[in-house]
Amino acid sequence: MNYKGITLLCVTMLLLSAIAAFPVSAQAKERDAGILIIYSTLDGKESSQVKMLDLLAGHFTSHVTAKNDLDVEASDFKGKDHVIYYGQTKRKLSKKLVSLISSVKKPVVAIGYNAGQISQFSGLSLARKENVFQVHSRSEKTDVSLESGLNVLSVSGLKGKALYTFKADDGKTHSFIWKTKKANVYIGLTNLLNDNLIVAKQLREAFGEKAGTTLLYLRLEDISPMSDETLLLQAGTYLHKRHVPFILAVIPVYLNPETGDKVYLSDKPKMVKVLKKLQSMGGSIIVHGYTHAYRYSETGEGFEFWDAKADQPITSENAEDPPSILEKEQDFPNEQAYNSYLKPFREKEETYTKQKLTRAIEDLTSSGLYPLAFEAPHYTMSEYGYQIASQYFTSIFGQVQLSGTTWKTSGASPYVTAPSMLHGMTLYPETIGFVDTSKQNPLGDMEEHISQMIDFEGGVAGGFYHPYLGMKYLPELVDEMERIPDSEWLDLKKTKQTVKTDKVEIHTSGDGTIQVKNGVSAIDEFFDHHQQTPLEKALWILSAVVLLFVVMFVSYTFYLRATLKKRIFKERRSLG
């Protein structure tokens, strides 16, 4: 036997394996490299703009840290390959901060005000804000029309090249995004909520990522026990025939707003049968709340994880209880006092949210429906709510609430992202909206957003469709989405997901199969469906105890009768 030949072959194979694996390892390492966002806001808090930047940065790494400029320390830069400075408000930066940013070796991205104080952007001069509706990309040699306009700061005084320009009212061309000779990038924007596609493009270029395949997904939305199963089956079957893997956003319980009565999926075997069939035909279930309602609002219309009427986080364990109106932070002497005040309310929010998510997952699982992700009703939830949800799900769909004080500010990145505000969850963003039958052209907005995603390249074109609309718009919508070049449909079962409670674990490993561990018993289901208040729980426990004593009493009575009969029989035999 030629041992030397075999040894040489093994060594060669090991070397080839190492070489082949190197690019993947390097890519993974780059992905794990952190991003430090330093922001200057008026109150020192993370504004909605900062959270949007967090969403955009979370695409490139799962390690994003956002710090107020006054709190930044040298240790914050450790393990951070990229630094983004965002000046939402004008401020004199500290010498310490300027020195720390100036010492960063890799290119820095600066957005908004104050960047001229940093050495990488020395000489930067900014003119007044201008609202523009069309900009020109010099690198792509294209004009970009902006539906809602864009507030820009014109740039001068830097060496390098302009990336984006606009024409001012005086007819002159000005630049507002600039790349220096050392590859540092300045972006002359202060509002990041509108048209964040431009910022996303610049971050992608600055971090060296090339646009890849555009991901498509379509959700069949607001499916509850009272939905029309015939129309749902029709829509799902059509998507299956078109080879489109689809998302089923399911609400396990329908709440009657007039009576408060609940209808469970288990009460609707025909609907369960349809959902199971669609699940086997390529549909992936996601949890869309438990009732998609708060107090006695109608399922599908109401909120669930945010008190919309008071416009504040949930403040009670039971939705039927009247809300406690939260005081404002400015009413307290310091942040510590305010957090102490909030603590009992957060404990109630945690209890409420955990109960809802647990029941939603376990109810669906007990019906043979296996949820793989989460979608918050109306995209509303406090950041603490997202932190709680991250204990149950690894992914979330839709948009996210960007404010801790109002539900009216939400947004999404144009690509898949894992921002720090979602505490480990991955966001599959909704970017193209839905079919809006209240408008003259129900598909108009979606068509416009699809065109934007064609121009963006390599993002996510995600939207939803209500099955109660029937088939009138669905074929055209699928056609519109599939006109995006270099795109593919998302099959959630072929991604790695984990959904879990104390009694249920659902896993996908990426091969299209779902592994389920279900420890929910029929008794657990019964109690979950019929126990609504602590008093009712106590009554059920008391009833169980009474029943136990009755059973023991009856058993003991039979025992005594049997013993008595046996003794009488013995006595008769002894008497002959």
Side-chain angles (χ1 to χ4, degrees):
M1 185 176 289
N2 190 348
Y3 291 102
K4 289 184 178 180
I6 293 173
T7 304
L8 182 61
L9 178 62
C10 291
V11 171
T12 303
M13 290 178 67
L14 286 171
L15 286 172
L16 288 173
S17 299
I19 292 169
F22 178 76
V24 177
S25 300
Q27 186 180 4
K29 186 178 180 181
E30 182 66 22
R31 173 77 187 175
D32 290 336
I35 295 176
L36 174 63
I37 297 173
I38 303 169
Y39 61 87
S40 299
T41 55
L42 196 61
D43 59 2
K45 305 292 184 183
E46 285 190 36
S47 64
S48 301
Q49 321 282 344
V50 175
K51 291 185 183 297
M52 175 55 75
L53 189 54
D54 180 18
L55 280 178
L56 297 176
H59 169 70
F60 304 97
T61 175
S62 56
H63 304 291
V64 178
T65 303
K67 294 292 293 280
N68 172 27
D69 60 2
L70 299 176
D71 298 330
V72 175
E73 300 291 340
S75 58
D76 294 320
F77 289 77
K78 292 181 180 179
K80 304 297 189 298
D81 272 23
H82 300 287
V83 173
I84 303 172
Y85 172 74
Y86 172 47
Q88 187 177 343
T89 188
K90 293 180 181 179
R91 175 175 298 168
K92 176 68 175 177
L93 302 180
S94 69
K95 291 182 179 179
K96 176 184 175 182
L97 177 62
V98 170
S99 175
L100 286 171
I101 298 177
S102 298
S103 63
V104 174
K105 295 179 181 179
K106 287 198 173 183
V108 172
V109 176
I111 306 171
Y113 298 114
N114 314 320
Q117 301 174 44
I118 303 168
S119 64
Q120 285 92 334
F121 304 98
S122 179
L124 172 66
S125 178
L126 302 176
R128 64 184 177 84
K129 273 188 194 177
E130 294 204 39
N131 192 37
V132 298
F133 289 88
Q134 189 174 62
V135 297
H136 179 77
S137 171
R138 286 189 174 177
S139 58
E140 298 174 11
K141 298 180 181 179
T142 58
D143 290 331
V144 181
S145 295
L146 308 167
E147 181 184 0
S148 55
L150 197 64
N151 289 322
V152 301
L153 298 168
S154 59
V155 182
S156 62
L158 290 177
K159 294 180 180 180
K161 63 178 180 179
L163 300 180
Y164 275 83
T165 61
F166 66 95
K167 278 191 177 181
D169 294 336
D170 58 9
K172 294 182 180 179
T173 299
H174 301 268
S175 58
F176 69 98
I177 298 181
W178 197 273
K179 186 175 184 179
T180 71
K181 287 185 176 180
K182 293 187 177 180
N184 300 293
V185 176
Y186 174 77
I187 302 173
L189 299 174
T190 55
N191 187 339
L192 304 182
L193 297 183
N194 292 334
D195 293 294
N196 57 58
L197 295 178
I198 291 177
V199 179
K201 277 187 177 182
Q202 296 313 306
L203 292 181
R204 176 185 279 168
E205 184 177 331
F207 298 156
E209 180 184 87
K210 293 183 179 180
T213 301
T214 297
L215 200 61
L216 312 177
Y217 80 74
L218 189 61
R219 300 194 314 267
L220 297 181
E221 193 80 344
D222 290 340
I223 303 166
S224 80
M226 300 302 288
S227 295
D228 188 318
E229 58 264 18
T230 302
L231 293 178
L232 173 62
L233 180 60
Q234 190 178 28
T237 302
Y238 172 78
L239 293 173
H240 174 65
K241 288 180 178 178
R242 288 283 300 262
H243 305 288
V244 174
F246 50 93
I247 309 295
L248 297 159
V250 182
I251 309 159
V253 179
Y254 174 82
L255 179 66
N256 187 315
E258 296 179 358
T259 64
D261 292 338
K262 295 175 180 177
V263 181
Y264 297 86
L265 265 180
S266 56
D267 300 328
K268 296 287 184 175
K270 190 174 179 181
M271 173 59 79
V272 172
K273 184 179 179 181
V274 166
L275 285 170
K276 290 174 76 172
K277 183 175 182 179
L278 293 177
Q279 183 176 239
S280 68
M281 292 167 60
S284 293
I285 307 287
I286 65 173
V287 169
H288 191 27
Y290 184 55
T291 61
H292 200 313
Y294 190 61
R295 297 193 178 90
Y296 291 127
S297 56
E298 186 177 5
T299 289
E301 298 296 328
F303 293 66
E304 186 165 10
F305 297 104
W306 185 266
D307 188 337
K309 188 174 181 180
D311 204 5
Q312 65 180 22
I314 301 298
T315 56
S316 58
E317 294 180 21
N318 298 309
E320 294 80 5
D321 294 341
S324 300
I325 304 302
L326 295 176
E327 296 181 33
K328 306 298 181 183
E329 185 174 359
Q330 54 264 32
D331 298 330
F332 293 82
N334 53 55
E335 187 177 1
Q336 184 178 359
Y338 181 59
N339 288 334
S340 296
Y341 162 75
L342 287 180
K343 186 177 179 181
F345 296 109
R346 284 186 172 174
E347 289 174 351
K348 291 178 181 179
E349 180 185 9
E350 180 176 0
T351 300
Y352 170 90
T353 304
K354 284 185 172 182
Q355 183 184 70
K356 291 277 189 173
L357 296 179
T358 298
R359 288 181 173 177
I361 294 168
E362 293 181 356
D363 275 21
L364 288 170
T365 304
S366 296
S367 296
L369 304 169
Y370 307 124
L372 303 180
F374 175 59
E375 178 196 349
H378 291 308
Y379 310 138
T380 58
M381 206 170 206
S382 71
E383 185 169 345
Y384 187 55
Y386 289 128
Q387 184 177 347
I388 297 166
S390 70
Q391 300 171 27
Y392 294 81
F393 305 94
T394 52
S395 291
I396 184 170
F397 276 74
Q399 299 185 9
V400 293
Q401 184 171 322
L402 298 174
S403 171
T405 58
T406 179
W407 64 269
K408 298 172 184 177
T409 304
S410 62
S413 58
Y415 36 44
V416 174
T417 183
S420 62
M421 66 172 292
L422 293 182
H423 301 275
M425 287 191 292
T426 296
L427 171 67
Y428 290 89
E430 180 210 304
T431 56
I432 63 173
F434 64 103
V435 176
D436 190 349
T437 54
S438 67
K439 297 188 176 181
Q440 188 174 1
N441 179 7
L443 282 166
D445 289 345
M446 296 192 85
E447 289 169 349
E448 185 173 334
H449 293 143
I450 286 170
S451 295
Q452 290 176 350
M453 296 315 299
I454 290 175
D455 293 336
F456 181 74
E457 296 181 351
V460 176
F464 65 88
Y465 186 84
H466 287 109
Y468 63 73
L469 295 176
M471 294 299 296
K472 186 174 181 180
Y473 306 101
L474 188 56
E476 186 179 352
L477 173 56
V478 174
D479 289 341
E480 281 293 312
M481 294 181 71
E482 289 190 337
R483 74 183 176 90
I484 299 177
D486 192 18
S487 61
E488 65 179 12
W489 288 97
L490 167 68
D491 187 343
L492 197 59
K493 293 189 185 77
K494 292 183 179 179
T495 63
K496 292 182 179 181
Q497 305 294 339
T498 298
V499 175
K500 62 181 180 180
T501 69
D502 290 340
K503 297 177 181 178
V504 169
E505 283 190 34
I506 303 168
H507 297 282
T508 56
S509 57
D511 60 359
T513 59
I514 303 175
Q515 296 85 42
V516 181
K517 293 180 181 178
N518 183 11
V520 180
S521 65
I523 294 175
D524 291 330
E525 264 194 279
F526 177 82
F527 274 92
D528 280 344
H529 285 194
H530 294 88
Q531 292 173 240
Q532 304 299 325
T533 66
L535 177 60
E536 287 175 324
K537 286 182 180 180
L539 290 174
W540 277 110
I541 293 171
L542 181 61
S543 299
V545 171
V546 170
L547 179 62
L548 178 63
F549 274 105
V550 169
V551 170
M552 291 173 63
F553 176 76
V554 171
S555 299
Y556 187 62
T557 300
F558 278 111
Y559 169 75
L560 288 177
R561 289 187 65 183
T563 304
L564 181 61
K565 284 183 178 180
K566 188 175 181 181
R567 191 175 67 185
I568 292 173
F569 179 74
K570 284 184 177 181
E571 288 177 353
R572 285 176 177 176
R573 287 188 63 181
S574 62
L575 292 173

